[in-house]
Amino acid sequence: SIVNTEELEKDVAKCNIAASACTIALGSGSYLPENKEGKVIAFTNTAASITVEGPAGTPTTSTAEAIISGASVSVVGTELLAVEPAANVILKNVGIAAGGGEGAPAIEIAGFSEKTKTPGGTLTVENSLLTNTGSGIAVQTGATLTVRNSTISDGRAEGVVNNGKASFLNSTIAYNKSTGLENDGEAETITNTIVAENKGGDCVGVAPTSVHSLDSDGSCGVGALSKTNPVLNASLLNNGGATRIHSVKPTSPAINAGESTACLTEDQRHAPRPGITGDACTIGADEYSNTPPKVTVPSNISKEEEGPSGAIITYSASAVGAN
């Protein structure tokens, strides 16, 4: 796996001319690309997909995130990541932070090119966290976005602005300072997804298709759980895996409220979801478990005192969560 920004930029350049599917493996840590004549990192390969993947971690172990950050981008109005026409990009187990600003999204998926008749770009976001300065993702006309088991939150603008096709599965869009989802596009589907607590409103434009989802202000038109408090932890927490989440609290109505036939097999942290057994999963990026952690401690220890302060005893203890 790569470990610094220079290696990331070199690998993107290599993948942009690759003839077959290309994967860039990121180690934990921050990657800080800077402006270089326009867009910061542009994915341009029209012949093969490009995957950018950080360490997954496990649901019982907290692993440091691999974060691509716009903190070093100096030119206002510059996208941190750009998916160009006909490019197919997958982001997995990564954090995208401090990107965009002043009307620019952190990630822009280019639309259909009338000039060259090239189809729009495609972006898939899996098991990832987006916390940005501008809007999280802008989907242009003719472009396609799929978000699975991911959190788009705590941004200073919109979570997603969709002018193309967008689908959200078992994801959480919350606590953004502007709108959560703005839909002016060709199609938008939200399934087993939480859109809540966004200061500018959860949705602008009702999603044409919604399955077992939840919104907190009634603007998304999701049905039974519309205008419902999801009872989330307001702070992003590292509860296992390599990307942080807004975990659901024990009283959340999102628990066991998902559509079982549509449940993904794991949550954002890679913890298993019960939907694989036919039961309902939790709505959102976090799968709730009421199984307490298993704590292992040693048997009673007795030792004679060795001085006025008693005796020093060394022992170990461990705790393992269910997920």
Side-chain angles (χ1 to χ4, degrees):
S1 63
I2 64 174
V3 295
N4 59 50
T5 304
E6 183 180 2
E7 291 177 332
L8 170 61
E9 292 172 338
K10 287 181 178 179
D11 276 15
V12 170
K14 291 177 182 177
C15 285
N16 277 337
I17 59 174
S20 58
C22 187
T23 297
I24 301 170
L26 303 179
S28 297
S30 295
Y31 299 81
L32 298 162
E34 300 176 7
N35 297 77
K36 290 183 179 178
E37 298 182 2
K39 290 164 182 173
V40 181
I41 292 181
F43 299 98
T44 61
N45 194 326
T46 61
S49 64
I50 300 175
T51 299
V52 181
E53 183 171 0
T58 69
T60 56
T61 304
S62 296
T63 302
E65 288 180 71
I67 302 174
I68 302 175
S69 171
S72 293
V73 175
S74 58
V75 178
V76 174
T78 302
E79 299 88 0
L80 177 60
L81 304 180
V83 181
E84 300 291 17
N88 181 9
V89 178
I90 300 165
L91 300 177
K92 189 173 183 179
N93 303 321
V94 297
I96 306 296
E102 295 295 328
I107 304 173
E108 182 171 35
I109 316 171
F112 172 78
S113 172
E114 184 65 39
K115 182 177 180 180
T116 62
K117 305 302 180 185
T118 305
T122 299
L123 174 65
T124 302
V125 179
E126 298 180 351
N127 303 90
S128 294
L129 168 66
L130 278 67
T131 55
N132 287 286
T133 304
S135 55
I137 305 173
V139 189
Q140 303 300 348
T141 303
T144 302
L145 169 68
T146 302
V147 180
R148 299 189 185 102
N149 275 335
S150 294
T151 297
I152 302 173
S153 75
D154 298 73
R156 297 182 189 176
E158 300 87 355
V160 175
V161 178
N162 174 42
N163 289 290
K165 297 179 181 179
S167 60
F168 304 87
L169 298 88
N170 276 115
S171 293
T172 299
I173 298 95
Y175 300 105
N176 294 289
K177 290 187 177 180
S178 186
T179 309
L181 297 179
E182 184 174 322
N183 178 40
D184 299 311
E186 304 162 39
E188 184 174 78
T189 301
I190 53 177
T191 304
N192 294 344
T193 289
I194 292 173
V195 189
E197 310 299 338
N198 298 285
K199 291 185 179 179
D202 292 330
C203 291
V204 173
V206 173
T209 306
S210 174
V211 180
H212 285 239
S213 292
L214 179 153
D215 72 57
S216 61
D217 67 3
S219 62
C220 300
V222 296
L225 292 179
S226 184
K227 206 171 184 179
T228 300
N229 184 347
V231 193
L232 299 173
N233 280 289
S235 298
L236 285 164
L237 303 174
N238 192 332
N239 285 346
T243 53
R244 292 163 293 153
I245 57 172
H246 288 289
S247 57
V248 295
K249 295 182 179 181
T251 57
S252 172
I255 296 171
N256 299 331
E259 167 54 55
S260 60
T261 61
C263 293
L264 298 175
T265 58
E266 296 180 331
D267 74 356
Q268 183 175 318
R269 304 164 299 131
H270 297 283
R273 292 187 184 273
I276 57 177
T277 61
D279 297 324
C281 61
T282 297
I283 296 172
D286 172 39
E287 183 60 43
Y288 177 77
S289 172
N290 61 4
T291 303
K294 180 181 179 181
V295 180
T296 302
V297 297
S299 301
N300 291 337
I301 300 172
S302 298
K303 189 175 182 180
E304 293 291 336
E305 63 181 8
E306 297 171 341
S309 299
I312 296 175
I313 297 175
T314 302
Y315 66 92
S316 60
S318 63
V320 178
N323 54 30

